[in-house]
Amino acid sequence: MGFHTFDADRAARLDDPTRFEHCSVEELFGALAVDETATIADLGSGTGLYTSPLAAGVGHVYAVDVQPAMHDHYREAGVPANVGLVTADITGLPFAADALDGAVSTFTFHEFASPDALAECRRVLAPGARLVLVDWSAAGTGEGGPPTDERYDAADATGLLADADFTVPASTERRDTFTITARVPDRQGQN
Ligand SMILES: C[S@@+](CC[C@H](N)C(=O)[O-])C[C@H]1O[C@@H](n2cnc3c(N)ncnc32)[C@H](O)[C@@H]1O
Protein backbone atom coordinates (compact mmCIF):
# COMPACT_ATOMS: atom_id res chain seq x y z
CA MET A 1 0.00 0.00 0.00
CA GLY A 2 2.10 2.96 1.16
CA PHE A 3 0.87 6.51 1.57
CA HIS A 4 2.00 9.92 0.39
CA THR A 5 5.69 10.74 0.19
CA PHE A 6 7.13 13.28 2.62
CA ASP A 7 7.20 16.72 0.96
CA ALA A 8 10.79 17.65 0.09
CA ASP A 9 9.88 21.33 0.59
CA ARG A 10 9.61 20.51 4.31
CA ALA A 11 12.95 18.67 4.39
CA ALA A 12 14.44 21.02 6.99
CA ARG A 13 11.92 19.72 9.55
CA LEU A 14 13.62 16.33 9.37
CA ASP A 15 16.86 17.84 10.70
CA ASP A 16 15.37 18.50 14.15
CA PRO A 17 17.60 16.60 16.62
CA THR A 18 14.71 16.24 19.11
CA ARG A 19 13.50 13.50 16.73
CA PHE A 20 16.12 11.24 18.33
CA GLU A 21 13.75 11.11 21.33
CA HIS A 22 11.53 8.82 19.24
CA CYS A 23 14.42 6.57 18.21
CA SER A 24 18.06 6.88 19.15
CA VAL A 25 20.97 5.88 16.95
CA GLU A 26 22.06 3.53 19.74
CA GLU A 27 18.73 1.72 19.48
CA LEU A 28 19.21 1.26 15.74
CA PHE A 29 22.74 -0.08 16.21
CA GLY A 30 21.62 -2.46 18.93
CA ALA A 31 18.91 -3.92 16.74
CA LEU A 32 21.05 -4.07 13.59
CA ALA A 33 23.84 -6.05 15.25
CA VAL A 34 26.48 -5.34 12.58
CA ASP A 35 30.19 -4.67 12.96
CA GLU A 36 32.33 -1.76 11.78
CA THR A 37 33.03 -3.40 8.41
CA ALA A 38 29.36 -3.82 7.48
CA THR A 39 27.70 -2.45 4.37
CA ILE A 40 24.19 -1.28 5.18
CA ALA A 41 21.40 0.79 3.64
CA ASP A 42 19.23 3.53 5.11
CA LEU A 43 15.97 3.15 3.20
CA GLY A 44 14.18 6.47 2.78
CA SER A 45 17.18 8.36 4.14
CA GLY A 46 15.73 11.86 3.73
CA THR A 47 18.19 14.53 4.85
CA GLY A 48 20.48 11.98 6.50
CA LEU A 49 19.66 12.69 10.16
CA TYR A 50 20.14 9.00 10.99
CA THR A 51 22.44 8.14 8.06
CA SER A 52 25.47 10.12 9.20
CA PRO A 53 25.68 8.78 12.77
CA LEU A 54 25.11 5.27 11.44
CA ALA A 55 27.99 5.79 9.02
CA ALA A 56 30.32 6.46 11.94
CA GLY A 57 29.91 2.86 13.09
CA VAL A 58 29.97 0.82 9.86
CA GLY A 59 32.03 0.41 6.70
CA HIS A 60 29.57 1.89 4.21
CA VAL A 61 26.01 3.22 4.12
CA TYR A 62 23.89 3.52 1.01
CA ALA A 63 21.48 6.41 1.61
CA VAL A 64 18.48 5.46 -0.53
CA ASP A 65 15.81 8.02 -1.30
CA VAL A 66 13.35 8.36 -4.16
CA GLN A 67 13.51 12.18 -4.11
CA PRO A 68 16.69 13.81 -5.49
CA ALA A 69 15.78 16.97 -3.54
CA MET A 70 16.31 15.08 -0.29
CA HIS A 71 19.84 14.17 -1.38
CA ASP A 72 20.47 17.82 -2.40
CA HIS A 73 19.52 18.87 1.13
CA TYR A 74 21.82 16.20 2.59
CA ARG A 75 24.72 17.30 0.34
CA GLU A 76 24.37 20.88 1.59
CA ALA A 77 24.71 19.67 5.18
CA GLY A 78 27.71 17.46 4.34
CA VAL A 79 27.82 13.78 3.49
CA PRO A 80 30.40 11.51 5.18
CA ALA A 81 32.93 9.87 2.86
CA ASN A 82 31.53 6.40 3.49
CA VAL A 83 27.95 7.32 2.54
CA GLY A 84 26.78 6.77 -1.02
CA LEU A 85 23.70 8.66 -2.15
CA VAL A 86 21.37 6.45 -4.18
CA THR A 87 18.29 7.83 -5.89
CA ALA A 88 15.93 4.88 -6.20
CA ASP A 89 12.54 3.58 -5.20
CA ILE A 90 12.70 0.80 -2.64
CA THR A 91 10.77 -1.41 -5.06
CA GLY A 92 13.78 -1.34 -7.42
CA LEU A 93 17.04 -1.19 -5.48
CA PRO A 94 20.23 -1.05 -7.60
CA PHE A 95 22.02 -3.66 -5.48
CA ALA A 96 22.96 -7.28 -6.20
CA ALA A 97 21.20 -10.08 -4.37
CA ASP A 98 22.57 -10.57 -0.81
CA ALA A 99 24.64 -7.36 -1.13
CA LEU A 100 23.76 -5.82 2.25
CA ASP A 101 24.73 -6.84 5.78
CA GLY A 102 21.76 -4.92 7.18
CA ALA A 103 19.28 -2.11 6.58
CA VAL A 104 17.32 0.41 8.58
CA SER A 105 14.32 2.53 7.74
CA THR A 106 13.18 5.31 10.06
CA PHE A 107 9.73 6.92 9.86
CA THR A 108 9.27 5.81 6.25
CA PHE A 109 7.63 2.36 6.34
CA HIS A 110 4.13 3.89 5.95
CA GLU A 111 5.33 5.58 2.74
CA PHE A 112 6.77 2.52 1.01
CA ALA A 113 5.17 -0.59 2.51
CA SER A 114 4.04 -3.06 -0.16
CA PRO A 115 4.71 -6.71 -0.96
CA ASP A 116 6.98 -5.64 -3.86
CA ALA A 117 9.05 -3.30 -1.67
CA LEU A 118 9.53 -5.90 1.06
CA ALA A 119 10.42 -8.58 -1.48
CA GLU A 120 13.09 -6.21 -2.82
CA CYS A 121 14.45 -5.62 0.70
CA ARG A 122 14.56 -9.38 1.19
CA ARG A 123 16.44 -9.86 -2.13
CA VAL A 124 19.28 -7.44 -1.36
CA LEU A 125 19.84 -8.51 2.26
CA ALA A 126 22.32 -11.32 2.90
CA PRO A 127 21.26 -14.49 4.73
CA GLY A 128 21.04 -13.68 8.44
CA ALA A 129 20.94 -9.90 7.85
CA ARG A 130 18.50 -7.70 9.71
CA LEU A 131 16.05 -5.02 8.59
CA VAL A 132 15.22 -2.58 11.40
CA LEU A 133 12.01 -0.62 10.94
CA VAL A 134 11.00 2.30 13.15
CA ASP A 135 7.84 4.17 12.26
CA TRP A 136 4.80 6.00 13.56
CA SER A 137 2.28 3.41 14.73
CA ALA A 138 -1.41 3.22 13.86
CA ALA A 139 -1.86 2.33 17.53
CA GLY A 140 -0.36 5.69 18.56
CA THR A 141 -2.01 8.93 19.63
CA GLY A 142 -1.61 10.71 16.30
CA GLU A 143 -0.18 13.77 18.05
CA GLY A 144 2.95 13.66 15.92
CA GLY A 145 3.64 12.33 12.45
CA PRO A 146 1.14 11.37 9.74
CA PRO A 147 -2.57 10.72 10.41
CA THR A 148 -3.15 7.39 12.17
CA ASP A 149 -5.15 6.07 9.19
CA GLU A 150 -2.00 6.41 7.06
CA ARG A 151 0.08 4.27 9.43
CA TYR A 152 0.59 0.58 10.19
CA ASP A 153 0.74 -0.92 13.63
CA ALA A 154 3.41 -3.42 14.60
CA ALA A 155 1.12 -6.41 14.01
CA ASP A 156 0.24 -5.33 10.46
CA ALA A 157 3.88 -4.61 9.66
CA THR A 158 4.94 -7.96 11.10
CA GLY A 159 2.40 -9.71 8.89
CA LEU A 160 3.73 -8.00 5.77
CA LEU A 161 7.29 -8.96 6.74
CA ALA A 162 6.32 -12.58 7.35
CA ASP A 163 4.62 -12.67 3.93
CA ALA A 164 7.95 -11.53 2.44
CA ASP A 165 9.79 -14.42 4.14
CA PHE A 166 11.34 -12.45 6.99
CA THR A 167 11.31 -13.69 10.54
CA VAL A 168 10.56 -11.09 13.24
CA PRO A 169 12.62 -11.77 16.36
CA ALA A 170 11.67 -8.50 18.06
CA SER A 171 8.78 -6.05 17.90
CA THR A 172 8.02 -3.18 20.29
CA GLU A 173 5.10 -0.75 20.38
CA ARG A 174 5.55 2.53 22.23
CA ARG A 175 3.22 5.48 22.77
CA ASP A 176 3.45 6.62 19.15
CA THR A 177 5.97 4.43 17.38
CA PHE A 178 6.97 0.82 16.76
CA THR A 179 10.39 -0.72 16.34
CA ILE A 180 10.58 -4.02 14.48
CA THR A 181 13.67 -6.12 13.94
CA ALA A 182 13.16 -8.42 10.96
CA ARG A 183 15.69 -11.00 9.84
CA VAL A 184 16.46 -12.92 6.66
CA PRO A 185 16.76 -16.65 7.46
CA ASP A 186 20.33 -17.91 7.25
CA ARG A 187 21.54 -20.29 4.52
CA GLN A 188 20.40 -23.33 6.49
CA GLY A 189 16.92 -21.81 6.76
CA GLN A 190 17.44 -21.25 10.49
CA ASN A 191 15.74 -18.27 12.09
C1 LIG B 1 9.44 11.00 6.60
S1 LIG B 1 10.90 11.01 5.65
C2 LIG B 1 12.06 10.22 6.81
C3 LIG B 1 13.49 10.44 6.42
C4 LIG B 1 14.53 9.80 7.35
N1 LIG B 1 14.42 8.36 7.35
C5 LIG B 1 14.43 10.34 8.76
O1 LIG B 1 13.97 9.64 9.67
O2 LIG B 1 14.84 11.49 8.95
C6 LIG B 1 10.62 9.71 4.47
C7 LIG B 1 11.63 9.67 3.35
O3 LIG B 1 11.45 8.46 2.61
C8 LIG B 1 11.50 8.72 1.23
N2 LIG B 1 10.71 7.70 0.53
C9 LIG B 1 9.37 7.52 0.60
N3 LIG B 1 8.99 6.48 -0.14
C10 LIG B 1 10.11 5.96 -0.70
C11 LIG B 1 10.37 4.89 -1.59
N4 LIG B 1 9.38 4.12 -2.05
N5 LIG B 1 11.65 4.65 -1.97
C12 LIG B 1 12.66 5.45 -1.50
N6 LIG B 1 12.48 6.49 -0.68
C13 LIG B 1 11.22 6.75 -0.27
C14 LIG B 1 10.96 10.14 1.09
O4 LIG B 1 11.41 10.76 -0.09
C15 LIG B 1 11.50 10.81 2.35
O5 LIG B 1 12.75 11.39 2.15
Side-chain angles (χ1 to χ4, degrees), residues 8-63:
D9 289 342
R10 296 191 301 139
R13 295 177 61 159
L14 296 174
D15 292 332
D16 178 358
T18 67
R19 296 183 57 230
F20 289 126
E21 292 169 7
H22 293 292
C23 173
S24 69
V25 175
E26 291 75 17
E27 181 181 2
L28 290 177
F29 268 123
L32 257 183
V34 293
D35 68 21
E36 69 281 0
T37 67
T39 294
I40 67 170
D42 183 359
L43 301 172
S45 50
T47 61
L49 180 76
Y50 285 94
T51 321
S52 291
L54 285 169
V58 298
H60 191 82
V61 185
Y62 292 108

Side-chain angles (χ1 to χ4, degrees), residues 5-6 14 19 42 44-46 49-50 64-67 70 88-90 106-108 111-112:
T5 305
F6 191 90
L14 296 174
R19 296 183 57 230
D42 183 359
S45 50
L49 180 76
Y50 285 94
V64 177
D65 206 287
V66 72
Q67 297 190 81
M70 287 295 188
D89 193 294
I90 295 167
T106 55
F107 304 97
T108 303
E111 297 187 25
F112 76 79

Side-chain angles (χ1 to χ4, degrees), residues 102-189:
V104 303
S105 184
T106 55
F107 304 97
T108 303
F109 183 77
H110 65 281
E111 297 187 25
F112 76 79
S114 70
D116 285 350
L118 292 177
E120 185 66 342
C121 294
R122 172 77 173 74
R123 182 186 70 79
V124 300
L125 285 163
R130 295 179 177 192
L131 169 63
V132 180
L133 299 172
V134 181
D135 201 6
W136 301 104
S137 175
T141 65
E143 288 167 12
T148 52
D149 63 359
E150 295 189 8
R151 308 176 183 189
Y152 297 81
D153 65 18
D156 290 338
T158 297
L160 287 168
L161 288 158
D163 289 346
D165 196 25
F166 283 93
T167 63
V168 180
S171 170
T172 309
E173 283 268 14
R174 296 202 189 84
R175 183 175 141 87
D176 271 304
T177 60
F178 64 73
T179 299
I180 293 176
T181 304
R183 187 174 181 274
V184 177
D186 66 22
R187 290 192 195 282
Q188 288 74 43

